[in-house]
Amino acid sequence: PCVAIRDAPRFPHRGLMIDTARHFEPVAAIRAMVDSLPYAKLNVLHWHMVDAQSFPFQSRTSPRLWEGAFSPSERYTQADVASVVEYARLRGVRVMVEFDMPGHNDAWCAGYPSICPSASCKSPLNVAANETFDRISALMHELTGGRPSSRGAPSGLFPDELLHLGGDEVNTGCWDSTPSVAGWLKEKGLTTDDGYALFVRRVGEMAVANGRRPVQWAEVFDHFKARLDPRTVVHVWKGQTNVTQVVELGYQVIRNVGYSAHSWYLDNLNINWSAVYSNDPCEGVPTAALCASVLGGHGEMWGETVDASDVEQTVWPRLAAIAEKLWSPREATTEPVAALGRLHQFRCRLLERGVRAAPVLNPSARGAPPRPGSCYGQ
């Protein structure tokens, strides 16, 4: 008999975030993770490249930036980066890179202390120094090639349309306590909050000028609402962000709320697969028309307690629960109990393919199997 199968994703943006700043992930480990994503119909790798702890990326325009790496062997050359992006493309996975700014930036200061407020107070980046923006502008040109990508003509190290600029958890206290920055703000008639607004707006404009759509964390929207460039994608991770308000104002959203009972932050090791499955990117969004502005979401694998030794079993199989929520119709993914058999089957299939997926029923993610038995029952 003839069989017709019609299948399509609920959300176009379905991904995993990896964090190579808290622990360096070797290129081989990143490629192995990329290999596993299409098994669950995931199509985005969100690469959180740098943070306060380390700056492992090679910049040719600011070559001392990677002095902020943990060690010379824990760095990515531009050839490494290009190889990962192409490896992912061949497997149907886009790479969205993140350079978080102006906060989470201490490692930038190792090579260029002048772009930070002072030696003792390093974050956020120095809003008063032209050099700060000159180096960011040059770095952005390396990432993007200075123009939009088009079919058959990718541009820059990261050809994807989306460029993540962070913007979260910015404490402007160092600007107040550093006389040169505080004096500059006063001279311009700006508060520190105005300085934050100036910074995120300016780097967002740079992204647009380089042919990219800026992605910024929820705090940026929570601060500035409709003053953001309309091309901005708001990445919602905080439960208090009013997603309905975001989409009603015309912004698109990536949503994966963390540190909650249904967290999609995979470093929350106590959140089991069924709690993850109970989350939904359009939770609280009142209409299908507004939900259409939610692009999708990620499992976010923050790197404080993972490296190449345990990242796969921390991500899988909980990421599969997220993947099903992002692909299948909402009405088909309301009951975790109905998904349990599928998740057991999928976890066993991952093991057959060489992916180190932890037992489904673990009380804490990435734990060892509790007893002898079949993979279908653990």
Coordinates of all heavy atoms in Angstrom, one line a residue, residues 225-260:
K225 N 12.7 47.8 26.1 CA 11.4 47.6 25.5 C 11.5 48.0 24.0 O 12.3 47.6 23.2 CB 10.3 48.3 26.2 CG 10.2 47.9 27.7 CD 9.7 46.5 27.8 CE 9.2 46.2 29.2 NZ 10.3 46.1 30.2
A226 N 10.5 48.8 23.5 CA 10.4 49.1 22.1 C 11.5 50.0 21.5 O 11.5 50.3 20.3 CB 9.0 49.8 21.9
R227 N 12.4 50.4 22.4 CA 13.5 51.2 21.9 C 14.6 50.4 21.1 O 15.5 50.9 20.5 CB 14.2 52.0 23.0 CG 13.4 53.2 23.5 CD 14.1 53.9 24.6 NE 14.1 53.1 25.9 CZ 15.0 53.3 26.9 NH1 15.9 54.2 26.8 NH2 14.9 52.6 28.0
L228 N 14.5 49.1 21.2 CA 15.4 48.2 20.5 C 15.1 48.2 19.0 O 14.0 48.4 18.6 CB 15.2 46.7 21.0 CG 15.8 46.4 22.4 CD1 15.5 44.9 22.7 CD2 17.3 46.6 22.4
D229 N 16.2 48.0 18.3 CA 16.0 47.9 16.8 C 15.0 46.8 16.5 O 15.1 45.7 17.1 CB 17.4 47.6 16.2 CG 17.3 47.6 14.6 OD1 16.7 46.7 14.1 OD2 17.9 48.5 14.0
P230 N 14.1 47.0 15.6 CA 13.0 46.0 15.4 C 13.6 44.6 14.8 O 12.9 43.6 14.9 CB 12.1 46.6 14.4 CG 12.9 47.7 13.8 CD 13.8 48.2 14.8
R231 N 14.8 44.7 14.3 CA 15.4 43.4 13.8 C 16.0 42.6 14.9 O 16.4 41.4 14.6 CB 16.5 43.8 12.8 CG 15.9 44.3 11.5 CD 16.9 45.1 10.6 NE 17.2 46.4 11.2 CZ 17.8 47.4 10.6 NH1 18.1 47.2 9.3 NH2 18.1 48.5 11.2
T232 N 16.0 43.1 16.1 CA 16.6 42.3 17.2 C 15.7 41.1 17.6 O 14.5 41.1 17.6 CB 16.6 43.2 18.5 OG1 17.4 44.4 18.2 CG2 17.3 42.5 19.7
V233 N 16.4 40.0 17.8 CA 15.8 38.8 18.3 C 16.0 38.7 19.8 O 17.2 38.9 20.3 CB 16.3 37.5 17.7 CG1 15.7 36.3 18.3 CG2 16.0 37.5 16.2
V234 N 15.0 38.6 20.6 CA 15.1 38.6 22.1 C 15.2 37.2 22.6 O 14.3 36.4 22.3 CB 13.9 39.3 22.7 CG1 14.0 39.3 24.3 CG2 13.8 40.8 22.2
H235 N 16.3 36.9 23.3 CA 16.5 35.6 23.8 C 16.1 35.5 25.3 O 16.8 36.1 26.1 CB 18.0 35.2 23.7 CG 18.3 33.7 23.8 ND1 19.5 33.2 23.5 CD2 17.5 32.7 24.3 CE1 19.5 31.9 23.7 NE2 18.3 31.6 24.2
V236 N 15.0 34.9 25.5 CA 14.3 34.9 26.8 C 14.8 33.7 27.7 O 14.6 32.6 27.3 CB 12.8 34.9 26.7 CG1 12.1 34.8 28.1 CG2 12.3 36.1 25.9
W237 N 15.4 34.1 28.8 CA 15.9 33.0 29.7 C 15.3 33.2 31.1 O 15.4 32.4 32.0 CB 17.4 33.0 29.8 CG 18.0 34.1 30.5 CD1 18.3 35.3 30.0 CD2 18.5 34.1 31.9 NE1 19.0 36.1 30.9 CE2 19.1 35.4 32.1 CE3 18.5 33.2 32.9 CZ2 19.6 35.8 33.3 CZ3 19.1 33.6 34.1 CH2 19.6 34.8 34.3
K238 N 14.7 34.4 31.4 CA 14.1 34.7 32.7 C 12.6 34.6 32.7 O 11.9 35.1 31.8 CB 14.5 36.1 33.1 CG 16.0 36.3 33.0 CD 16.4 37.8 33.4 CE 16.3 38.0 34.8 NZ 16.9 39.4 35.2
G239 N 12.1 33.9 33.7 CA 10.7 33.7 33.8 C 9.9 34.9 33.9 O 8.7 35.0 33.4
Q240 N 10.4 36.0 34.4 CA 9.7 37.2 34.6 C 9.6 38.1 33.3 O 8.8 39.0 33.3 CB 10.3 38.1 35.7 CG 11.7 38.6 35.5 CD 12.7 37.7 36.2 OE1 12.5 36.4 36.2 NE2 13.7 38.3 36.9
T241 N 10.3 37.7 32.3 CA 10.2 38.5 31.0 C 8.8 38.2 30.4 O 8.4 37.0 30.3 CB 11.3 38.1 30.0 OG1 12.5 38.4 30.6 CG2 11.1 38.9 28.7
N242 N 8.1 39.2 30.1 CA 6.7 39.1 29.5 C 6.9 38.8 28.0 O 7.0 39.7 27.2 CB 5.9 40.4 29.8 CG 4.5 40.3 29.3 OD1 4.1 39.5 28.5 ND2 3.6 41.1 29.9
V243 N 6.8 37.5 27.7 CA 7.0 37.1 26.3 C 5.9 37.7 25.4 O 6.1 38.1 24.2 CB 7.1 35.6 26.2 CG1 7.3 35.2 24.7 CG2 8.3 35.1 27.0
T244 N 4.7 37.7 25.9 CA 3.6 38.3 25.1 C 3.8 39.7 24.8 O 3.6 40.1 23.6 CB 2.2 38.1 25.9 OG1 2.0 36.8 26.2 CG2 1.1 38.8 25.1
Q245 N 4.4 40.5 25.7 CA 4.7 41.9 25.4 C 5.8 41.9 24.3 O 5.7 42.8 23.4 CB 5.1 42.6 26.7 CG 5.5 44.1 26.4 CD 6.1 44.7 27.7 OE1 6.8 44.1 28.4 NE2 5.8 46.0 27.9
V246 N 6.8 41.1 24.4 CA 7.9 41.1 23.4 C 7.3 40.9 22.0 O 7.6 41.7 21.1 CB 8.9 40.0 23.8 CG1 10.0 40.0 22.7 CG2 9.5 40.2 25.2
V247 N 6.5 39.9 21.9 CA 6.0 39.6 20.5 C 5.0 40.6 20.1 O 4.9 40.9 18.9 CB 5.5 38.1 20.4 CG1 6.7 37.1 20.6 CG2 4.4 37.8 21.4
E248 N 4.2 41.1 21.0 CA 3.2 42.1 20.6 C 3.9 43.4 20.1 O 3.3 44.1 19.2 CB 2.3 42.5 21.8 CG 1.2 41.4 22.1 CD 0.3 41.8 23.3 OE1 0.8 42.6 24.1 OE2 -0.8 41.3 23.3
L249 N 5.1 43.6 20.6 CA 5.8 44.8 20.1 C 6.6 44.5 18.8 O 7.2 45.4 18.3 CB 6.8 45.3 21.2 CG 6.2 46.0 22.4 CD1 7.3 46.2 23.5 CD2 5.6 47.3 22.0
G250 N 6.4 43.3 18.3 CA 6.9 43.0 16.9 C 8.3 42.3 16.9 O 8.8 42.1 15.8
Y251 N 8.8 41.9 18.1 CA 10.1 41.3 18.1 C 9.9 39.8 18.0 O 8.9 39.2 18.5 CB 10.8 41.6 19.4 CG 11.2 43.1 19.6 CD1 10.4 43.9 20.4 CD2 12.3 43.6 18.9 CE1 10.7 45.3 20.5 CE2 12.6 44.9 19.0 CZ 11.8 45.8 19.8 OH 12.1 47.1 19.9
Q252 N 10.9 39.1 17.4 CA 10.9 37.6 17.5 C 11.7 37.2 18.7 O 12.5 37.9 19.2 CB 11.5 37.1 16.2 CG 10.6 37.3 15.0 CD 11.2 36.7 13.7 OE1 12.4 36.9 13.4 NE2 10.3 36.0 12.9
V253 N 11.4 35.9 19.1 CA 11.9 35.4 20.4 C 12.5 34.0 20.2 O 12.0 33.2 19.4 CB 10.7 35.3 21.4 CG1 11.1 34.5 22.6 CG2 10.3 36.7 21.8
I254 N 13.6 33.8 20.9 CA 14.1 32.5 21.2 C 13.9 32.3 22.7 O 14.3 33.2 23.5 CB 15.6 32.3 20.8 CG1 15.9 32.5 19.3 CG2 16.2 31.0 21.3 CD1 17.3 32.7 19.0
R255 N 13.3 31.2 23.1 CA 12.9 31.1 24.5 C 13.3 29.7 25.1 O 13.1 28.7 24.5 CB 11.3 31.1 24.6 CG 10.8 31.2 26.0 CD 9.3 31.3 26.0 NE 8.8 31.7 27.3 CZ 7.5 31.7 27.7 NH1 6.6 31.4 26.7 NH2 7.1 32.1 28.9
N256 N 14.1 29.8 26.1 CA 14.4 28.7 26.9 C 14.7 29.1 28.4 O 15.8 29.4 28.8 CB 15.6 27.9 26.4 CG 16.7 28.8 25.8 OD1 16.8 28.9 24.6 ND2 17.4 29.5 26.6
V257 N 13.6 29.2 29.1 CA 13.7 29.7 30.5 C 14.5 28.7 31.4 O 14.4 27.5 31.3 CB 12.3 29.9 31.1 CG1 12.4 30.2 32.6 CG2 11.6 31.0 30.3
G258 N 15.5 29.3 32.1 CA 16.3 28.5 33.0 C 16.0 28.7 34.5 O 15.3 29.6 34.9
Y259 N 16.6 27.9 35.3 CA 16.6 28.0 36.8 C 15.1 28.0 37.2 O 14.7 28.9 38.0 CB 17.4 29.2 37.2 CG 18.8 29.1 36.7 CD1 19.2 30.0 35.8 CD2 19.7 28.1 37.1 CE1 20.5 30.0 35.2 CE2 21.0 28.0 36.6 CZ 21.4 29.0 35.6 OH 22.6 28.9 35.1
S260 N 14.3 27.1 36.7 CA 12.9 27.0 37.1 C 12.6 25.5 37.2 O 13.4 24.6 36.9 CB 12.0 27.6 36.1 OG 12.0 26.9 34.9

